[in-house]
Amino acid sequence: MSEPYSQELRSDTSEIVIPVISALTIVAGLLAGVASSVRIQDSWHFWVIALLAFGGGLFSWRLVKGERARAGATFFVSLYLFLITLLLTTEWQPGSPIPYFFGVLIIISSMIYSPRAGFYTWGISIILSVIGVTIRVGGFDFLLLLRQLAAPTTINFLVALAAYLTALEWEYAVESISGLHIRVQQRRDELFAAKKELDLINAKQRFTNQQLDAARQEAIKERDLRTRFMNNVSHELRTPLNGIVNFAHILAQGGQGPVNDGQADYLDRIEKSGWHLLAVLNDLLDMAQIEAGEFKLHMELVNLHNICEDAMRGIRGLILNKPVELVRDYPDEWPFVNVDKMRLKQALINLLGNAEKYTEAGYIALRVKPEGETVRIIVEDSGIGIAPEDHEKIFREFHQVNEQDARRRIGTGLGLPITRHLVEKHGGAISVSSEVGRGTAFIITLPAAANSPSPNGQAKPNMTAVAKEAEANVPAQPAAVE
Ligand code: ADP
């Protein structure tokens, strides 16, 4: 993988080295030609060298440029082997530096061809030196050759060795850099790919967000429409219903003349049904407000006792004809709570009303347990109970455990969802604990107000006037049964 890269760099080096060496040779050849003699038979080889350096250099350079770097380098080195040999055959004499010229060629060949090429050039240069000198002296003289060529051959070998080691080191460095470079490129490509993917995801997310926004706007529009519709309908229904309930009551009381027992009974039923319808309407309206997020509380610091008693009063009339005891399990010290008293009372009436609906005999208890920073309100009955699998479902809108049974008892399935919302809006929680056939307990946990009365019954200095007044009205009550 890195070899082509170092080869690429070698070809870049060739592009510089070939013209430089060629130019130097041309200049040297021309100068030597001019300087040596005016007679052409004495200086022809210099002109030939200059000419070949020009033509051969140009040819090698074109090969390198034409993506044939190795062929160019081979041709160039071969050409110079020939030129130096030509110089040997024409100019050599004992002590001549010409054999050392091979040293330069050795360095160039290991630079532009391969690290090992220096040794090949060196080997060939020995043969060519022997041939060149032999031609020059006109016969093979072993001793002369040994004396004259031993030193340049040895030095040229050392040059080849040094060039080899340097070129190797250079190649190693290039390979490492090339590896790093490739890794960087891969990393960059990965980053680009990741960025592209991210862009795509972002675009998708933008599109999804737009769709979500559109859907949300649509839902808000629909919700507003529904709320408006519910408000209008309940207003339109409530006015005549109030009329029906009130007029039935007046008629039953003999307000428009005497009525017989049968008529009074019917009027009473009309009134009861009217009240029930009004309760259902109120539930629907509350639910619509909750869904529209328009449900508001009017918080104030109140004593819990008053709220519990108001709720219990509401339930008392309903159990008159049943063998059901109403149990109050109240604390000695009543806690204060920061609540919307109408809404908390509504929640308790919902639970007590359910207890009454689903309890034919036994008891209905309201237990209040202050526990430090919280207060627990438990509405407990000994009625039909709720199966474990329904404990969560009953808090969902319109869910009735046994629909036929529930219909017989009349209900909308909205009481508990509204109660849960009311409690949670107060920062509290509601849970259920029940066993089929043994009864049910709904447990409300509310935060107690920070400035409740102190244990000795004295209001803390920062109590509000409302709290003080409420505290004054609190009777300390033990568990009582009606
Ligand atoms: P509903 O108007 O039907 O009473 P709720 O939301 O108040 O609607 O109650 C949902 C269902 O939970 C009821 O239909 C009933 O099956 C069950 N439920 C609620 N309270 C009690 C209870 N005290 N005892 C037994 N079942 C109960």
Side-chain angles (χ1 to χ4, degrees), residues 167-208:
L168 258 194
E169 204 174 320
W170 171 85
E171 196 172 270
Y172 178 72
V174 166
E175 275 171 14
S176 325
I177 290 169
S178 153
L180 275 178
H181 181 69
I182 286 165
R183 280 225 297 281
V184 167
Q185 270 181 336
Q186 275 172 350
R187 201 83 194 98
R188 197 196 53 190
D189 291 350
E190 277 168 21
L191 280 175
F192 272 131
K195 191 180 168 293
K196 245 187 186 169
E197 216 166 295
L198 208 69
D199 284 349
L200 203 74
I201 291 170
N202 280 344
K204 272 188 195 160
Q205 203 178 354
R206 265 200 304 279
F207 181 65
T208 316

mmCIF file of all heavy atoms in Angstrom, residues 167-208:
data_model
loop_
_atom_site.group_PDB
_atom_site.id
_atom_site.type_symbol
_atom_site.label_atom_id
_atom_site.label_comp_id
_atom_site.label_asym_id
_atom_site.label_seq_id
_atom_site.Cartn_x
_atom_site.Cartn_y
_atom_site.Cartn_z
ATOM 1 N N ALA A 167 18.489 5.362 1.685
ATOM 2 C CA ALA A 167 17.249 5.198 0.913
ATOM 3 C C ALA A 167 16.255 4.315 1.670
ATOM 4 O O ALA A 167 15.044 4.573 1.656
ATOM 5 C CB ALA A 167 17.547 4.590 -0.451
ATOM 6 N N LEU A 168 16.819 3.284 2.370
ATOM 7 C CA LEU A 168 15.935 2.406 3.154
ATOM 8 C C LEU A 168 15.223 3.189 4.250
ATOM 9 O O LEU A 168 14.007 3.080 4.455
ATOM 10 C CB LEU A 168 16.769 1.306 3.814
ATOM 11 C CG LEU A 168 16.736 -0.075 3.178
ATOM 12 C CD1 LEU A 168 17.331 -1.088 4.135
ATOM 13 C CD2 LEU A 168 15.337 -0.508 2.794
ATOM 14 N N GLU A 169 16.045 3.987 4.965
ATOM 15 C CA GLU A 169 15.495 4.785 6.066
ATOM 16 C C GLU A 169 14.424 5.752 5.556
ATOM 17 O O GLU A 169 13.350 5.904 6.120
ATOM 18 C CB GLU A 169 16.638 5.569 6.714
ATOM 19 C CG GLU A 169 16.333 5.938 8.149
ATOM 20 C CD GLU A 169 17.541 6.590 8.810
ATOM 21 O OE1 GLU A 169 18.674 6.116 8.556
ATOM 22 O OE2 GLU A 169 17.345 7.559 9.510
ATOM 23 N N TRP A 170 14.762 6.348 4.439
ATOM 24 C CA TRP A 170 13.834 7.294 3.819
ATOM 25 C C TRP A 170 12.525 6.575 3.455
ATOM 26 O O TRP A 170 11.429 7.069 3.706
ATOM 27 C CB TRP A 170 14.506 7.882 2.571
ATOM 28 C CG TRP A 170 13.603 8.716 1.718
ATOM 29 C CD1 TRP A 170 13.321 10.030 1.876
ATOM 30 C CD2 TRP A 170 12.872 8.282 0.570
ATOM 31 N NE1 TRP A 170 12.462 10.457 0.913
ATOM 32 C CE2 TRP A 170 12.162 9.400 0.089
ATOM 33 C CE3 TRP A 170 12.748 7.070 -0.115
ATOM 34 C CZ2 TRP A 170 11.341 9.346 -1.036
ATOM 35 C CZ3 TRP A 170 11.932 7.021 -1.225
ATOM 36 C CH2 TRP A 170 11.227 8.140 -1.669
ATOM 37 N N GLU A 171 12.714 5.341 2.867
ATOM 38 C CA GLU A 171 11.523 4.593 2.453
ATOM 39 C C GLU A 171 10.663 4.234 3.670
ATOM 40 O O GLU A 171 9.441 4.334 3.642
ATOM 41 C CB GLU A 171 11.948 3.310 1.731
ATOM 42 C CG GLU A 171 10.806 2.704 0.941
ATOM 43 C CD GLU A 171 11.281 1.541 0.081
ATOM 44 O OE1 GLU A 171 11.669 1.796 -1.063
ATOM 45 O OE2 GLU A 171 11.294 0.413 0.575
ATOM 46 N N TYR A 172 11.348 3.876 4.784
ATOM 47 C CA TYR A 172 10.622 3.513 5.991
ATOM 48 C C TYR A 172 9.820 4.722 6.502
ATOM 49 O O TYR A 172 8.640 4.605 6.851
ATOM 50 C CB TYR A 172 11.603 3.034 7.061
ATOM 51 C CG TYR A 172 10.934 2.682 8.359
ATOM 52 C CD1 TYR A 172 10.160 1.523 8.471
ATOM 53 C CD2 TYR A 172 11.050 3.525 9.464
ATOM 54 C CE1 TYR A 172 9.524 1.214 9.652
ATOM 55 C CE2 TYR A 172 10.408 3.223 10.652
ATOM 56 C CZ TYR A 172 9.647 2.068 10.748
ATOM 57 O OH TYR A 172 9.001 1.772 11.917
ATOM 58 N N ALA A 173 10.485 5.869 6.521
ATOM 59 C CA ALA A 173 9.815 7.087 6.993
ATOM 60 C C ALA A 173 8.617 7.406 6.114
ATOM 61 O O ALA A 173 7.518 7.717 6.597
ATOM 62 C CB ALA A 173 10.793 8.262 6.994
ATOM 63 N N VAL A 174 8.831 7.271 4.789
ATOM 64 C CA VAL A 174 7.746 7.572 3.855
ATOM 65 C C VAL A 174 6.578 6.614 4.070
ATOM 66 O O VAL A 174 5.415 7.012 4.071
ATOM 67 C CB VAL A 174 8.256 7.485 2.395
ATOM 68 C CG1 VAL A 174 7.100 7.448 1.409
ATOM 69 C CG2 VAL A 174 9.143 8.671 2.090
ATOM 70 N N GLU A 175 6.946 5.321 4.284
ATOM 71 C CA GLU A 175 5.885 4.330 4.483
ATOM 72 C C GLU A 175 5.057 4.656 5.720
ATOM 73 O O GLU A 175 3.836 4.577 5.703
ATOM 74 C CB GLU A 175 6.485 2.926 4.622
ATOM 75 C CG GLU A 175 6.733 2.278 3.274
ATOM 76 C CD GLU A 175 7.525 0.982 3.394
ATOM 77 O OE1 GLU A 175 7.637 0.472 4.513
ATOM 78 O OE2 GLU A 175 8.042 0.524 2.370
ATOM 79 N N SER A 176 5.767 5.030 6.839
ATOM 80 C CA SER A 176 5.023 5.344 8.064
ATOM 81 C C SER A 176 4.120 6.547 7.842
ATOM 82 O O SER A 176 2.941 6.543 8.222
ATOM 83 C CB SER A 176 5.935 5.669 9.234
ATOM 84 O OG SER A 176 7.060 4.921 9.180
ATOM 85 N N ILE A 177 4.696 7.579 7.209
ATOM 86 C CA ILE A 177 3.892 8.787 6.977
ATOM 87 C C ILE A 177 2.715 8.459 6.071
ATOM 88 O O ILE A 177 1.580 8.894 6.301
ATOM 89 C CB ILE A 177 4.763 9.912 6.371
ATOM 90 C CG1 ILE A 177 5.726 10.399 7.439
ATOM 91 C CG2 ILE A 177 3.908 11.063 5.880
ATOM 92 C CD1 ILE A 177 6.804 11.299 6.945
ATOM 93 N N SER A 178 3.025 7.621 5.064
ATOM 94 C CA SER A 178 1.960 7.263 4.127
ATOM 95 C C SER A 178 0.845 6.511 4.854
ATOM 96 O O SER A 178 -0.338 6.753 4.636
ATOM 97 C CB SER A 178 2.548 6.424 3.005
ATOM 98 O OG SER A 178 1.603 5.583 2.468
ATOM 99 N N GLY A 179 1.265 5.569 5.791
ATOM 100 C CA GLY A 179 0.268 4.832 6.580
ATOM 101 C C GLY A 179 -0.581 5.786 7.380
ATOM 102 O O GLY A 179 -1.813 5.672 7.401
ATOM 103 N N LEU A 180 0.110 6.737 8.019
ATOM 104 C CA LEU A 180 -0.618 7.725 8.831
ATOM 105 C C LEU A 180 -1.581 8.517 7.965
ATOM 106 O O LEU A 180 -2.746 8.741 8.309
ATOM 107 C CB LEU A 180 0.370 8.706 9.473
ATOM 108 C CG LEU A 180 0.986 8.259 10.782
ATOM 109 C CD1 LEU A 180 1.981 9.296 11.264
ATOM 110 C CD2 LEU A 180 -0.115 8.086 11.832
ATOM 111 N N HIS A 181 -1.039 8.905 6.810
ATOM 112 C CA HIS A 181 -1.822 9.710 5.878
ATOM 113 C C HIS A 181 -3.083 8.950 5.450
ATOM 114 O O HIS A 181 -4.180 9.508 5.435
ATOM 115 C CB HIS A 181 -0.940 10.023 4.670
ATOM 116 C CG HIS A 181 -1.607 10.861 3.646
ATOM 117 N ND1 HIS A 181 -1.907 12.177 3.874
ATOM 118 C CD2 HIS A 181 -2.056 10.573 2.400
ATOM 119 C CE1 HIS A 181 -2.514 12.660 2.803
ATOM 120 N NE2 HIS A 181 -2.613 11.712 1.905
ATOM 121 N N ILE A 182 -2.875 7.660 5.162
ATOM 122 C CA ILE A 182 -4.026 6.851 4.731
ATOM 123 C C ILE A 182 -5.053 6.752 5.855
ATOM 124 O O ILE A 182 -6.256 6.883 5.643
ATOM 125 C CB ILE A 182 -3.555 5.448 4.277
ATOM 126 C CG1 ILE A 182 -2.870 5.574 2.923
ATOM 127 C CG2 ILE A 182 -4.724 4.477 4.172
ATOM 128 C CD1 ILE A 182 -2.061 4.380 2.529
ATOM 129 N N ARG A 183 -4.530 6.556 7.109
ATOM 130 C CA ARG A 183 -5.457 6.450 8.239
ATOM 131 C C ARG A 183 -6.231 7.750 8.431
ATOM 132 O O ARG A 183 -7.429 7.752 8.694
ATOM 133 C CB ARG A 183 -4.684 6.100 9.520
ATOM 134 C CG ARG A 183 -4.350 4.619 9.610
ATOM 135 C CD ARG A 183 -4.649 4.068 10.998
ATOM 136 N NE ARG A 183 -3.832 4.689 12.008
ATOM 137 C CZ ARG A 183 -2.558 4.373 12.260
ATOM 138 N NH1 ARG A 183 -1.978 3.433 11.538
ATOM 139 N NH2 ARG A 183 -1.887 4.958 13.199
ATOM 140 N N VAL A 184 -5.497 8.860 8.278
ATOM 141 C CA VAL A 184 -6.155 10.168 8.424
ATOM 142 C C VAL A 184 -7.239 10.315 7.359
ATOM 143 O O VAL A 184 -8.358 10.771 7.632
ATOM 144 C CB VAL A 184 -5.119 11.316 8.304
ATOM 145 C CG1 VAL A 184 -5.792 12.660 8.135
ATOM 146 C CG2 VAL A 184 -4.228 11.339 9.536
ATOM 147 N N GLN A 185 -6.886 9.886 6.133
ATOM 148 C CA GLN A 185 -7.871 9.995 5.043
ATOM 149 C C GLN A 185 -9.105 9.140 5.340
ATOM 150 O O GLN A 185 -10.235 9.585 5.142
ATOM 151 C CB GLN A 185 -7.249 9.540 3.740
ATOM 152 C CG GLN A 185 -6.608 10.705 3.017
ATOM 153 C CD GLN A 185 -5.997 10.277 1.703
ATOM 154 O OE1 GLN A 185 -5.660 9.109 1.527
ATOM 155 N NE2 GLN A 185 -5.828 11.216 0.810
ATOM 156 N N GLN A 186 -8.820 7.887 5.854
ATOM 157 C CA GLN A 186 -9.951 6.998 6.180
ATOM 158 C C GLN A 186 -10.841 7.641 7.230
ATOM 159 O O GLN A 186 -12.058 7.651 7.122
ATOM 160 C CB GLN A 186 -9.424 5.669 6.731
ATOM 161 C CG GLN A 186 -9.064 4.688 5.626
ATOM 162 C CD GLN A 186 -8.375 3.468 6.194
ATOM 163 O OE1 GLN A 186 -8.008 3.448 7.357
ATOM 164 N NE2 GLN A 186 -8.177 2.473 5.361
ATOM 165 N N ARG A 187 -10.171 8.206 8.254
ATOM 166 C CA ARG A 187 -10.899 8.830 9.357
ATOM 167 C C ARG A 187 -11.743 10.000 8.820
ATOM 168 O O ARG A 187 -12.892 10.182 9.198
ATOM 169 C CB ARG A 187 -9.875 9.328 10.369
ATOM 170 C CG ARG A 187 -10.338 9.550 11.715
ATOM 171 C CD ARG A 187 -10.379 8.274 12.559
ATOM 172 N NE ARG A 187 -11.164 8.584 13.743
ATOM 173 C CZ ARG A 187 -12.424 8.284 13.881
ATOM 174 N NH1 ARG A 187 -13.058 7.592 12.962
ATOM 175 N NH2 ARG A 187 -13.103 8.633 14.954
ATOM 176 N N ARG A 188 -11.085 10.764 7.919
ATOM 177 C CA ARG A 188 -11.799 11.915 7.352
ATOM 178 C C ARG A 188 -13.014 11.433 6.551
ATOM 179 O O ARG A 188 -14.096 11.989 6.660
ATOM 180 C CB ARG A 188 -10.837 12.695 6.442
ATOM 181 C CG ARG A 188 -11.318 14.088 6.136
ATOM 182 C CD ARG A 188 -10.580 14.644 4.966
ATOM 183 N NE ARG A 188 -10.665 13.721 3.824
ATOM 184 C CZ ARG A 188 -9.968 13.846 2.714
ATOM 185 N NH1 ARG A 188 -9.122 14.810 2.589
ATOM 186 N NH2 ARG A 188 -10.115 12.979 1.712
ATOM 187 N N ASP A 189 -12.795 10.347 5.774
ATOM 188 C CA ASP A 189 -13.911 9.804 4.993
ATOM 189 C C ASP A 189 -15.039 9.348 5.910
ATOM 190 O O ASP A 189 -16.210 9.595 5.644
ATOM 191 C CB ASP A 189 -13.448 8.628 4.132
ATOM 192 C CG ASP A 189 -12.535 9.098 3.021
ATOM 193 O OD1 ASP A 189 -12.438 10.329 2.831
ATOM 194 O OD2 ASP A 189 -11.904 8.246 2.359
ATOM 195 N N GLU A 190 -14.618 8.667 7.034
ATOM 196 C CA GLU A 190 -15.637 8.198 7.987
ATOM 197 C C GLU A 190 -16.410 9.382 8.560
ATOM 198 O O GLU A 190 -17.627 9.345 8.701
ATOM 199 C CB GLU A 190 -14.971 7.448 9.147
ATOM 200 C CG GLU A 190 -14.657 5.995 8.835
ATOM 201 C CD GLU A 190 -13.750 5.374 9.881
ATOM 202 O OE1 GLU A 190 -13.699 5.906 11.010
ATOM 203 O OE2 GLU A 190 -13.094 4.387 9.555
ATOM 204 N N LEU A 191 -15.625 10.435 8.904
ATOM 205 C CA LEU A 191 -16.273 11.627 9.476
ATOM 206 C C LEU A 191 -17.250 12.243 8.494
ATOM 207 O O LEU A 191 -18.362 12.646 8.853
ATOM 208 C CB LEU A 191 -15.225 12.662 9.878
ATOM 209 C CG LEU A 191 -14.537 12.383 11.212
ATOM 210 C CD1 LEU A 191 -13.433 13.389 11.461
ATOM 211 C CD2 LEU A 191 -15.551 12.461 12.344
ATOM 212 N N PHE A 192 -16.802 12.301 7.222
ATOM 213 C CA PHE A 192 -17.689 12.862 6.192
ATOM 214 C C PHE A 192 -18.967 12.035 6.088
ATOM 215 O O PHE A 192 -20.067 12.578 6.008
ATOM 216 C CB PHE A 192 -16.989 12.902 4.833
ATOM 217 C CG PHE A 192 -16.208 14.180 4.628
ATOM 218 C CD1 PHE A 192 -14.899 14.147 4.182
ATOM 219 C CD2 PHE A 192 -16.791 15.414 4.885
ATOM 220 C CE1 PHE A 192 -14.180 15.316 4.010
ATOM 221 C CE2 PHE A 192 -16.083 16.586 4.712
ATOM 222 C CZ PHE A 192 -14.773 16.535 4.280
ATOM 223 N N ALA A 193 -18.761 10.682 6.107
ATOM 224 C CA ALA A 193 -19.926 9.789 5.997
ATOM 225 C C ALA A 193 -20.848 10.000 7.195
ATOM 226 O O ALA A 193 -22.075 10.091 7.050
ATOM 227 C CB ALA A 193 -19.471 8.340 5.931
ATOM 228 N N ALA A 194 -20.218 10.102 8.418
ATOM 229 C CA ALA A 194 -21.026 10.286 9.635
ATOM 230 C C ALA A 194 -21.772 11.610 9.565
ATOM 231 O O ALA A 194 -22.943 11.709 9.956
ATOM 232 C CB ALA A 194 -20.130 10.255 10.860
ATOM 233 N N LYS A 195 -21.068 12.639 9.046
ATOM 234 C CA LYS A 195 -21.706 13.961 8.963
ATOM 235 C C LYS A 195 -22.899 13.912 8.012
ATOM 236 O O LYS A 195 -23.956 14.470 8.284
ATOM 237 C CB LYS A 195 -20.692 14.995 8.484
ATOM 238 C CG LYS A 195 -21.212 16.400 8.624
ATOM 239 C CD LYS A 195 -20.230 17.425 8.165
ATOM 240 C CE LYS A 195 -20.893 18.777 8.052
ATOM 241 N NZ LYS A 195 -21.893 18.867 7.004
ATOM 242 N N LYS A 196 -22.674 13.188 6.895
ATOM 243 C CA LYS A 196 -23.758 13.059 5.913
ATOM 244 C C LYS A 196 -24.968 12.399 6.558
ATOM 245 O O LYS A 196 -26.107 12.849 6.382
ATOM 246 C CB LYS A 196 -23.276 12.189 4.753
ATOM 247 C CG LYS A 196 -23.189 12.950 3.454
ATOM 248 C CD LYS A 196 -22.869 11.971 2.359
ATOM 249 C CE LYS A 196 -22.617 12.661 1.053
ATOM 250 N NZ LYS A 196 -22.059 11.761 0.086
ATOM 251 N N GLU A 197 -24.667 11.316 7.325
ATOM 252 C CA GLU A 197 -25.752 10.577 7.979
ATOM 253 C C GLU A 197 -26.471 11.482 8.977
ATOM 254 O O GLU A 197 -27.695 11.489 9.065
ATOM 255 C CB GLU A 197 -25.147 9.385 8.716
ATOM 256 C CG GLU A 197 -26.040 8.160 8.675
ATOM 257 C CD GLU A 197 -25.262 6.935 9.101
ATOM 258 O OE1 GLU A 197 -24.317 6.558 8.386
ATOM 259 O OE2 GLU A 197 -25.582 6.411 10.157
ATOM 260 N N LEU A 198 -25.626 12.237 9.717
ATOM 261 C CA LEU A 198 -26.188 13.153 10.723
ATOM 262 C C LEU A 198 -27.078 14.191 10.053
ATOM 263 O O LEU A 198 -28.171 14.516 10.543
ATOM 264 C CB LEU A 198 -25.033 13.841 11.453
ATOM 265 C CG LEU A 198 -25.337 14.273 12.871
ATOM 266 C CD1 LEU A 198 -25.496 13.045 13.755
ATOM 267 C CD2 LEU A 198 -24.209 15.134 13.402
ATOM 268 N N ASP A 199 -26.595 14.708 8.917
ATOM 269 C CA ASP A 199 -27.393 15.699 8.185
ATOM 270 C C ASP A 199 -28.738 15.106 7.797
ATOM 271 O O ASP A 199 -29.775 15.755 7.898
ATOM 272 C CB ASP A 199 -26.638 16.155 6.922
ATOM 273 C CG ASP A 199 -25.527 17.114 7.286
ATOM 274 O OD1 ASP A 199 -25.504 17.560 8.451
ATOM 275 O OD2 ASP A 199 -24.680 17.394 6.424
ATOM 276 N N LEU A 200 -28.648 13.832 7.349
ATOM 277 C CA LEU A 200 -29.874 13.152 6.925
ATOM 278 C C LEU A 200 -30.834 12.989 8.098
ATOM 279 O O LEU A 200 -32.027 13.290 7.989
ATOM 280 C CB LEU A 200 -29.507 11.770 6.366
ATOM 281 C CG LEU A 200 -30.521 11.179 5.406
ATOM 282 C CD1 LEU A 200 -30.439 11.896 4.074
ATOM 283 C CD2 LEU A 200 -30.243 9.689 5.218
ATOM 284 N N ILE A 201 -30.249 12.555 9.232
ATOM 285 C CA ILE A 201 -31.083 12.360 10.432
ATOM 286 C C ILE A 201 -31.693 13.690 10.855
ATOM 287 O O ILE A 201 -32.876 13.772 11.186
ATOM 288 C CB ILE A 201 -30.243 11.766 11.584
ATOM 289 C CG1 ILE A 201 -29.867 10.327 11.237
ATOM 290 C CG2 ILE A 201 -31.005 11.797 12.892
ATOM 291 C CD1 ILE A 201 -28.863 9.698 12.149
ATOM 292 N N ASN A 202 -30.847 14.746 10.820
ATOM 293 C CA ASN A 202 -31.354 16.081 11.196
ATOM 294 C C ASN A 202 -32.495 16.501 10.297
ATOM 295 O O ASN A 202 -33.505 17.038 10.762
ATOM 296 C CB ASN A 202 -30.230 17.112 11.114
ATOM 297 C CG ASN A 202 -29.364 17.046 12.341
ATOM 298 O OD1 ASN A 202 -29.775 16.449 13.340
ATOM 299 N ND2 ASN A 202 -28.185 17.608 12.286
ATOM 300 N N ALA A 203 -32.290 16.254 8.989
ATOM 301 C CA ALA A 203 -33.340 16.644 8.037
ATOM 302 C C ALA A 203 -34.625 15.879 8.343
ATOM 303 O O ALA A 203 -35.721 16.459 8.365
ATOM 304 C CB ALA A 203 -32.879 16.360 6.617
ATOM 305 N N LYS A 204 -34.444 14.548 8.627
ATOM 306 C CA LYS A 204 -35.627 13.731 8.943
ATOM 307 C C LYS A 204 -36.302 14.251 10.203
ATOM 308 O O LYS A 204 -37.523 14.334 10.278
ATOM 309 C CB LYS A 204 -35.199 12.274 9.162
ATOM 310 C CG LYS A 204 -35.161 11.472 7.895
ATOM 311 C CD LYS A 204 -34.920 10.019 8.211
ATOM 312 C CE LYS A 204 -34.512 9.251 6.983
ATOM 313 N NZ LYS A 204 -33.841 8.025 7.292
ATOM 314 N N GLN A 205 -35.432 14.589 11.201
ATOM 315 C CA GLN A 205 -35.989 15.065 12.462
ATOM 316 C C GLN A 205 -36.726 16.385 12.268
ATOM 317 O O GLN A 205 -37.799 16.593 12.838
ATOM 318 C CB GLN A 205 -34.858 15.246 13.459
ATOM 319 C CG GLN A 205 -35.377 15.191 14.883
ATOM 320 C CD GLN A 205 -34.263 15.330 15.885
ATOM 321 O OE1 GLN A 205 -33.103 15.363 15.506
ATOM 322 N NE2 GLN A 205 -34.608 15.407 17.134
ATOM 323 N N ARG A 206 -36.116 17.244 11.425
ATOM 324 C CA ARG A 206 -36.796 18.525 11.162
ATOM 325 C C ARG A 206 -38.168 18.271 10.553
ATOM 326 O O ARG A 206 -39.156 18.884 10.945
ATOM 327 C CB ARG A 206 -35.939 19.373 10.219
ATOM 328 C CG ARG A 206 -35.049 20.348 10.975
ATOM 329 C CD ARG A 206 -34.590 21.476 10.062
ATOM 330 N NE ARG A 206 -33.911 20.986 8.880
ATOM 331 C CZ ARG A 206 -32.632 20.625 8.863
ATOM 332 N NH1 ARG A 206 -31.909 20.707 9.952
ATOM 333 N NH2 ARG A 206 -32.076 20.195 7.761
ATOM 334 N N PHE A 207 -38.173 17.315 9.595
ATOM 335 C CA PHE A 207 -39.428 16.995 8.924
ATOM 336 C C PHE A 207 -40.441 16.451 9.935
ATOM 337 O O PHE A 207 -41.596 16.879 9.972
ATOM 338 C CB PHE A 207 -39.157 15.959 7.824
ATOM 339 C CG PHE A 207 -40.374 15.565 7.042
ATOM 340 C CD1 PHE A 207 -41.038 16.493 6.258
ATOM 341 C CD2 PHE A 207 -40.876 14.275 7.120
ATOM 342 C CE1 PHE A 207 -42.165 16.130 5.547
ATOM 343 C CE2 PHE A 207 -41.996 13.906 6.414
ATOM 344 C CZ PHE A 207 -42.653 14.847 5.632
ATOM 345 N N THR A 208 -39.945 15.506 10.793
ATOM 346 C CA THR A 208 -40.834 14.925 11.806
ATOM 347 C C THR A 208 -41.341 16.011 12.746
ATOM 348 O O THR A 208 -42.522 16.030 13.114
ATOM 349 C CB THR A 208 -40.072 13.857 12.637
ATOM 350 O OG1 THR A 208 -39.338 13.067 11.745
ATOM 351 C CG2 THR A 208 -41.021 13.002 13.433
#
